[in-house]
Amino acid sequence: MKILKRMTLVAVTGMFFTAGITETHAQSNEEALQSTEQQLKESEKTVQQKEKEKQSIDTDVKALQSELDSLHKVISDNEKELASTEKKIKEAKSMIEKKKEEIVELQEKVLSRKDIIEERLVALQHDDKSNAMLEMVMNAESFGDLVARMGAATTLLSADNDILKQHQQDLDQIEKDKKEIDKQEKVLENEEANLKAKKAELESNISKQTAALTKMQEKYSAVVNDIESASSEKASLQSQLATIQDKISAEQQAAKEQAEKVAKEKEVAVKAEKEETQRQAELATAKAEVKQEKKVESTKPVAKTESKPAAKPASKPASESKPEKVSGKEMYVQSTAYTASCAGCSGKTATGIDLKANPHLKVIAVDPSVIPLGSKVYVEGYGVAVAGDTGGAIKGYKIDVFVPSQSAAMSWGRRTVKITVLN
C-alpha cells in the first residue's frame, strides 16, 4: 500500500515537473513573440516612412522631369528661332554681298564718269563755255543748222548735268547702302549673340536640372532598395512570428494535453488507491471469515456437513478506513468470463454448485493443479470468489469468472488480473 502511494506521488510529481518545464518554455516563447511583434511594428513603421519618402521623391522627380520637358521645349523653340535667325542672317549676308557687288558696279561707273567729267572740266577751263556755245551757234550755215546746233548744245549741256546728277546719286546710294549694310550686320550679330547666349543659358539650366534629376533618381533608387530591404525584413519577421505563434499554440495544446493527462493519471492513481483500499478491506474480511470457518469446524469435528460456499452472498467491502494488509499467495492470471444462461448449459459446476439457481454467486473456474478446488480467492475487479469449477480450456494460469448474463461476460472480455489465494 505504501509502495503504491509512493509510486503515485512520484508519478504525479514528475508530471507536475514536466508541466512546469512546458510552462517555462511557453513563457520564453511568449517573450520571443512580444519581441518579434515589437520588431515587426518597427519594421512596418520604417516601411511606411520609406513609402512616404518615396512618394515625396517621386513627386519631386516628376516636377523636375516636367521642368526638364519645359526646358527642352524652350530649347527646341529657341533652336528653331536660331535656325530662322541664321537663315535670315544668311539671306542678309547674301543681300549684303549683292549690295557690295552693286556698290562695286556703281563705283566702276563713277570711276568711268570721273574720267569724262575730268575731260569736260579741263575743256571748260581752256575755253569759256559761253564762248564755245556762241561760236557753235554763229558758225551755223542755216537756220535749220542753227536750230540743230542749239538743240545739240542744249542736249550736251543737259547730258553733262545728268551725268553729274547721276554721279552724285550713285555716290549717295553707295554711302547709304554701306550704312544699311553696317546696320543690318550689327542687328543680325546682336540677334545671333542673344540667341546663342539664351541657348547656352538653357543648356546650363538643363545640365543643372539633369544633375538634380540624376541625384533625385539615385535617392529614389536608394529609398526603393531600403523599402525592399525593410519589406524583406518584415516578411522574415512575419514568418518568425507565425513560427513562434505555431510553437505557442503547439505548447498550449501540449500543456492542455499534459494537464488532462496529469488530471487523468491523478484520477487513475486515486481510483487505484481506492481500489487497493477496497481490495485490502475485502481481503481482510475474507481472511476473517476463513479463520472463523476454520474455528467453527475445529469445534465440531464429528458433525461435518458439506459447506456450500456458493450459497454465501458476495462479501461486502469494508469501510473506507485503511484496513490491515492481509497476506496470501498472489499471482497474475489471464481471465475470461462465462455464464450459465447460455443454450445447452447445465449450470452445474465441477463441485456441484447450481449456478442457475444462484446467479449472483462469485465462482471461478480454475486449473486444480494451480489453484485447488474449494479455495477462496480474491480476484482483482471481481471480488472474493470460490474456486468451484473447471474447464477444458482452463489450463495453467488461466481462470474463468462466472457472471449472471451473456452481456456481462462480453463486457468482462479478456484481461490480466491479480489474484490472491486466501486458503
Side-chain angles (χ1 to χ4, degrees):
M1 184 69 177
K2 290 182 179 180
I3 293 174
L4 179 63
K5 286 184 178 180
R6 288 177 182 175
M7 290 176 66
T8 304
L9 179 62
V10 170
V12 172
T13 303
M15 285 184 288
F16 278 114
F17 179 72
T18 304
I21 294 175
T22 304
E23 184 177 357
T24 302
H25 282 299
Q27 290 175 351
S28 176
N29 281 327
E30 285 288 346
E31 292 174 357
L33 179 64
Q34 292 177 358
S35 175
T36 305
E37 285 177 343
Q38 182 63 30
Q39 292 177 6
L40 183 59
K41 288 180 181 178
E42 293 175 358
S43 179
E44 288 176 346
K45 186 177 179 181
T46 301
V47 170
Q48 291 174 355
Q49 289 175 347
K50 292 295 180 181
E51 284 290 347
K52 289 181 180 178
E53 188 175 351
K54 176 186 171 184
Q55 292 175 358
S56 175
I57 293 172
D58 188 48
T59 303
D60 293 340
V61 167
K62 288 180 179 178
L64 282 173
Q65 190 64 53
S66 178
E67 290 179 10
L68 279 174
D69 292 340
S70 299
L71 285 173
H72 280 298
K73 187 177 183 304
V74 172
I75 286 177
S76 177
D77 293 341
N78 192 9
E79 286 176 347
K80 290 178 181 179
E81 187 178 351
L82 184 61
S84 176
T85 303
E86 287 175 347
K87 184 179 179 182
K88 290 179 181 179
I89 290 171
K90 187 176 180 181
E91 291 174 353
K93 285 181 178 179
S94 177
M95 183 269 291
I96 289 170
E97 290 299 323
K98 188 176 180 181
K99 283 286 185 184
K100 287 179 179 178
E101 290 176 0
E102 291 176 356
I103 288 172
V104 170
E105 290 178 0
L106 288 173
Q107 287 175 344
E108 292 290 341
K109 288 179 181 181
V110 169
L111 184 61
S112 64
R113 289 196 198 101
K114 182 179 180 182
D115 293 337
I116 296 172
I117 292 171
E118 285 179 353
E119 289 177 359
R120 297 241 181 198
L121 288 175
V122 170
L124 288 173
Q125 285 179 351
H126 292 292
D127 189 7
D128 184 48
K129 184 176 181 183
S130 58
N131 292 330
M133 292 298 295
L134 181 61
E135 183 179 355
M136 183 180 64
V137 173
M138 293 300 293
N139 290 330
E141 295 179 356
S142 63
F143 182 76
D145 185 33
L146 176 62
V147 173
R149 283 177 178 268
M150 289 181 66
T154 303
T155 300
L156 287 172
L157 289 174
S158 178
D160 287 342
N161 288 331
D162 289 340
I163 290 171
L164 290 172
K165 185 177 180 181
Q166 184 65 45
H167 186 71
Q168 188 60 49
Q169 287 178 352
D170 288 344
L171 289 175
D172 292 342
Q173 186 64 42
I174 288 170
E175 291 301 323
K176 183 179 179 181
D177 289 344
K178 283 183 178 179
K179 288 180 181 179
E180 183 65 26
I181 288 170
D182 291 339
K183 181 181 177 181
Q184 290 296 326
E185 284 181 341
K186 287 180 180 179
V187 170
L188 292 174
E189 285 174 359
N190 288 335
E191 288 185 3
E192 189 175 21
N194 289 335
L195 285 173
K196 287 182 177 179
K198 189 175 181 181
K199 183 179 180 181
E201 182 182 357
L202 289 172
E203 288 177 348
S204 176
N205 287 337
I206 283 183
S207 178
K208 291 179 182 178
Q209 294 290 349
T210 302
L213 180 62
T214 301
K215 187 175 181 181
M216 197 68 69
Q217 286 173 337
E218 290 175 354
K219 188 176 180 181
Y220 182 83
S221 298
V223 171
V224 169
N225 291 334
D226 291 342
I227 290 174
E228 290 177 354
S229 177
S231 298
S232 177
E233 182 181 358
K234 178 182 174 182
S236 176
L237 288 171
Q238 286 175 335
S239 177
Q240 292 179 19
L241 187 66
T243 301
I244 293 172
Q245 287 174 338
D246 290 342
K247 284 184 178 178
I248 290 175
S249 297
E251 288 176 354
Q252 288 175 343
Q253 182 63 28
K256 182 180 178 182
E257 292 175 356
Q258 184 68 23
E260 291 175 353
K261 183 179 178 182
V262 168
K264 187 174 181 180
E265 291 185 356
K266 184 177 180 181
E267 182 182 350
V268 169
V270 171
K271 183 178 179 181
E273 184 178 357
K274 288 182 178 179
E275 288 178 351
E276 179 64 17
T277 302
Q278 182 179 351
R279 189 178 75 87
Q280 291 297 329
E282 290 177 350
L283 285 172
T285 302
K287 192 68 176 178
E289 289 177 354
V290 170
K291 286 181 179 179
Q292 184 65 29
E293 286 177 359
K294 287 183 176 179
K295 185 176 180 182
V296 171
E297 289 176 355
S298 63
T299 56
K300 297 179 180 180
V302 179
K304 286 185 180 181
T305 59
E306 185 180 351
S307 63
K308 295 183 180 179
K312 288 185 178 181
S315 58
K316 295 182 181 179
S319 64
E320 293 297 327
S321 62
K322 295 182 180 179
E324 182 183 355
K325 187 174 181 179
V326 179
S327 61
K329 185 178 180 181
E330 295 180 345
M331 64 185 76
Y332 288 92
V333 296
Q334 287 287 331
S335 68
T336 53
Y338 73 104
T339 180
S341 61
C342 57
C345 296
S346 64
K348 295 287 186 179
T349 68
T351 58
I353 300 172
D354 187 354
L355 296 177
K356 288 187 176 182
N358 300 281
H360 297 290
L361 289 179
K362 298 284 188 178
V363 180
I364 62 173
V366 299
D367 183 349
S369 64
V370 178
I371 301 174
L373 286 172
S375 300
K376 279 196 173 182
V377 181
Y378 174 78
V379 181
E380 184 180 19
Y382 183 70
V384 178
V386 176
D389 204 356
T390 59
I394 307 303
K395 302 294 182 184
Y397 289 88
K398 293 182 180 179
I399 65 171
D400 214 358
V401 299
F402 169 71
V403 291
S405 65
Q406 188 70 29
S407 61
M410 294 295 291
S411 176
W412 180 272
R414 181 183 296 274
R415 64 179 80 171
T416 301
V417 295
K418 182 180 180 181
I419 64 173
T420 305
V421 181
L422 302 175
N423 62 353

